[in-house]
């Protein structure tokens, strides 16, 4: 389940980034007056939706189809 844990951590990071952008804006300035521009909200939302979809696919219980040989002739 290492993949699932990794995806969940990445998703949490995206949620944190989204919250920071909504609260503080996309541009953050540190004490040395340097600016850090984070990804825009649209890109963060795309990342969140992608990761949520991947996690949903991992957790869904879809049965695999069996393949049967076909005789020709």
């Amino acid at each position: 389940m290492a993949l699932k844990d990794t995806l969940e951590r990445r998703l949490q990071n995206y949620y944190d980034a989204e919250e920071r952008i909504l609260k503080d804006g996309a541009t953050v300035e540190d004490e040395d007056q340097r600016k850090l521009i984070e990804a825009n909200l649209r890109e963060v939302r795309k990342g969140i939706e992608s990761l949520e979809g991947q996690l949903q696919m991992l957790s869904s219980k879809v049965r695999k189809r069996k393949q049967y040989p076909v005789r020709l002739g």
Side-chain angles (χ1 to χ4, degrees):
M1 295 310 258
L3 176 62
K4 185 176 180 183
D5 294 337
T6 301
L7 290 175
E8 287 173 346
R9 279 195 310 269
R10 287 186 65 206
L11 182 59
Q12 186 58 49
N13 290 338
Y14 270 94
Y15 285 142
D16 295 342
E18 180 185 41
E19 186 176 331
R20 267 193 319 274
I21 291 171
L22 289 172
K23 189 172 87 175
D24 301 329
T27 303
V28 180
E29 200 170 289
D30 66 5
E31 60 273 357
D32 295 331
Q33 309 305 323
R34 292 182 294 187
K35 289 186 179 182
L36 170 66
I37 300 175
E38 293 194 87
N40 67 25
L41 193 57
R42 182 179 299 147
E43 293 172 354
V44 172
R45 284 304 310 162
K46 283 182 185 178
I48 289 172
E49 291 168 3
S50 173
L51 288 168
E52 286 175 340
Q54 290 175 43
L55 283 168
Q56 185 178 11
M57 284 177 32
L58 281 176
S59 63
S60 67
K61 296 180 180 178
V62 176
R63 291 179 28 194
K64 293 184 179 179
R65 295 182 181 162
K66 293 184 179 180
Q67 293 183 351
Y68 298 99
V70 176
R71 293 185 187 185
L72 299 174

